[in-house]
Amino acid sequence: MKIQRITLREIRMPLVTPFETSFGRLTGRRMLLVEADADGVSGWGESVAGEGPFYAPETVETAWHILRDFIWPLLKDREFASASELWEILAPIRGHNMAKGAIESAVWDAEARQKNIPLWKLIGGVRNEIPCGVSIGIKPTLEELVSTVERELAAGYQRIKIKIKPGKDIEPVETLRQRFPRIRLMVDANSAYRLPDWPHLKRLEAYYLMMIEQPLGWDDLYSHAELQRKLETPICLDECIHTLEHARAAIELGACRIINIKLGRVGGYTPSKQIHDLCKSRQIPVWCGGMLESGIGRAHNIALSTLENFSLPGDVTASRRYWTEDIIEPEVEVSPQGTIHVPAAPGIGYTPRLDRIEKISARKEILS
Ligand code: OSB
Ligand code: MG
């Protein structure tokens, strides 16, 4: 394989409703899309880098810079046998996983299209239907939270995750547990607490949560290990796990019992699969996280979720939860049972709508 050219585009999409986490409130997204032309087919990827460095250090701007000035020079004129080699080719660049993940996933899509098979089969996926949960942002009132949860349960979603932060934690969880005694419920703090807050976090244990996601510092494995020893509820790590080595350290330290894998956070399919395989061998369940992706990133999350050890419902949901109009065809739909049927078409299995993508592009750069 050889990549003849890549096209970077920044698209802007307004969210159907604002999304609030402990690190900020979003009313829309700016995403960097990568289109890779390889031997007559094009593959698509999406960088999940945010507008600012608040979830992780990368931003749309840093991803653009790294793709143009460092990744493309490594890939230009380079022959490789398969997308599985990209991760090693990009190894001289330290970090910048979201930039790497965008191009790496695009090349996997291109390879699957060349072979005329679905991407999920190319990566070794084992299921053609994936279970789905939802991530619900911090709401201004408890009434709004309850009605949102009601609506998502009615749509079929199999587990509910709510975002929490200090002052908006015990009460929302208690309210939901009273109102919905039997649902699968979890919380995500996006690093809003510190270890001395542990007695407060321990109060959440009264509400039978499936897990508490990323309660402490974004790169603080040691404190999570301390906290996990004080809690019965499993800790799930998100932000902390940006490499295979961090995943191994987290497991060995006892810093978590579950891991959320995001393609962009770890740098693509190859590191995602490595972390997945490690977790499988250590009986650590994984699930696929989301980053408010457009249809392109969403399609990749669906493919990734077909790997065997993705045994818990992920944050992979219908296009319409976030977008009035998505950029792929068909849009992602969720069944009344709260599952997504994995598409059988080649590559990511959805067709990027180039006309619409061009229309909402704020900038574009072709590298060849
Ligand atoms: O921590 O999982 C997270 C969105 C943006 C940044 C971080 C996170 C999230 C979500 C949304 O929880 C998941 C989704 O795409 O539905
Ligand atoms: Mg999270």
Side-chain angles (χ1 to χ4, degrees):
M1 279 179 98
K2 203 161 162 184
I3 309 170
Q4 279 74 37
R5 65 174 195 171
I6 63 174
T7 306
L8 307 181
R9 290 183 183 83
E10 181 191 325
I11 58 166
R12 305 213 169 163
M13 293 172 77
L15 284 162
V16 170
T17 45
F19 191 86
E20 187 177 332
T21 66
S22 63
F23 61 83
R25 185 170 180 273
L26 284 171
T27 54
R29 294 273 290 112
R30 292 169 60 192
M31 304 94 159
L32 194 172
L33 299 182
V34 176
E35 181 184 4
D37 292 322
D39 316 320
V41 301
S42 50
W44 287 80
E46 174 173 343
S47 145
V48 298
E51 293 69 20
F54 307 120
Y55 162 83
E58 293 180 81
T59 69
V60 177
E61 299 297 327
T62 69
W64 195 291
H65 161 55
I66 294 295
L67 277 157
R68 181 189 56 211
D69 299 330
F70 295 99
I71 291 180
W72 179 240
L74 281 178
L75 295 179
K76 189 175 155 60
D77 301 325
R78 181 92 176 221
E79 272 286 349
F80 48 91
S82 131
S84 62
E85 293 177 17
L86 241 65
W87 178 245
E88 269 309 309
I89 296 173
L90 300 180
I93 299 168
R94 295 184 182 171
H96 296 286
N97 288 342
M98 293 173 176
K100 291 178 181 174
I103 178 81
E104 201 248 22
S105 57
V107 176
W108 277 99
D109 179 30
E111 180 173 340
R113 288 178 193 273
Q114 281 178 8
K115 295 183 168 154
N116 207 29
I117 57 171
L119 176 53
W120 67 274
K121 290 206 169 154
L122 181 62
I123 63 166
V126 297
R127 64 179 72 84
N128 60 12
E129 189 177 0
I130 63 163
C132 309
V134 286
S135 174
I136 297 174
I138 295 168
K139 298 290 179 190
T141 65
L142 291 171
E143 293 72 52
E144 225 175 293
L145 176 63
V146 168
S147 66
T148 305
V149 170
E150 240 157 21
R151 193 173 60 241
E152 303 294 13
L153 292 171
Y157 288 102
Q158 297 185 11
R159 72 100 168 95
I160 300 292
K161 150 172 150 182
I162 64 163
K163 295 290 190 179
I164 58 166
K165 66 177 181 181
K168 290 237 178 189
D169 43 23
I170 310 287
E171 211 189 356
V173 170
E174 179 172 46
T175 304
L176 289 181
R177 195 38 106 202
Q178 273 168 2
R179 177 73 180 72
F180 309 102
R182 300 178 65 87
I183 61 168
R184 292 205 269 175
L185 182 64
M186 60 175 285
V187 295
D188 184 359
N190 289 110
S191 299
Y193 301 85
R194 291 296 169 264
L195 188 57
D197 298 320
W198 74 264
H200 186 71
L201 291 168
K202 188 135 187 93
R203 290 177 59 199
L204 290 171
E205 300 212 278
Y207 309 106
Y208 308 103
L209 300 177
M210 290 174 81
M211 68 193 91
I212 301 175
E213 183 177 346
Q214 194 68 38
L216 308 180
W218 75 278
D219 205 20
D220 187 358
L221 286 182
Y222 189 82
S223 296
H224 279 103
E226 293 263 303
L227 180 63
Q228 183 68 91
R229 280 195 283 278
K230 298 177 188 299
L231 298 180
E232 311 266 325
T233 310
I235 290 176
C236 169
L237 288 178
D238 174 353
E239 282 89 329
C240 273
I241 309 298
H242 33 88
T243 61
L244 174 65
E245 292 73 23
H246 275 58
R248 182 174 296 124
I251 295 169
E252 296 301 327
L253 282 168
C256 65
R257 297 197 195 124
I258 299 171
I259 288 179
N260 159 340
I261 298 183
K262 291 178 180 166
L263 271 170
R265 199 190 64 232
V266 304
Y269 282 97
T270 297
S272 293
K273 279 211 288 186
Q274 289 170 346
I275 293 170
H276 163 274
D277 293 351
L278 168 72
C279 289
K280 190 174 149 204
S281 74
R282 304 299 308 267
Q283 281 106 43
I284 299 284
V286 303
W287 53 276
C288 183
M291 291 288 287
L292 312 176
E293 289 93 344
S294 80
I296 306 279
R298 211 161 280 277
H300 280 291
N301 289 344
I302 293 168
L304 184 67
S305 303
T306 66
L307 296 178
E308 192 183 347
N309 193 36
F310 280 80
S311 50
L312 295 167
D315 284 344
V316 186
T317 59
S319 299
R320 74 166 70 95
R321 284 191 68 248
Y322 292 116
W323 318 117
T324 45
E325 198 182 350
D326 206 341
I327 59 169
I328 52 164
E329 217 164 56
E331 297 203 344
V332 176
E333 305 247 18
V334 164
S335 74
Q337 290 72 41
T339 64
I340 292 173
H341 294 276
V342 183
I348 56 174
Y350 299 85
T351 308
R353 292 174 52 189
L354 199 52
D355 56 333
R356 176 153 171 74
I357 292 170
E358 288 284 338
K359 212 157 80 192
I360 60 175
S361 288
R363 66 179 150 149
K364 173 174 170 178
E365 189 169 344
I366 296 172
L367 307 169
S368 59

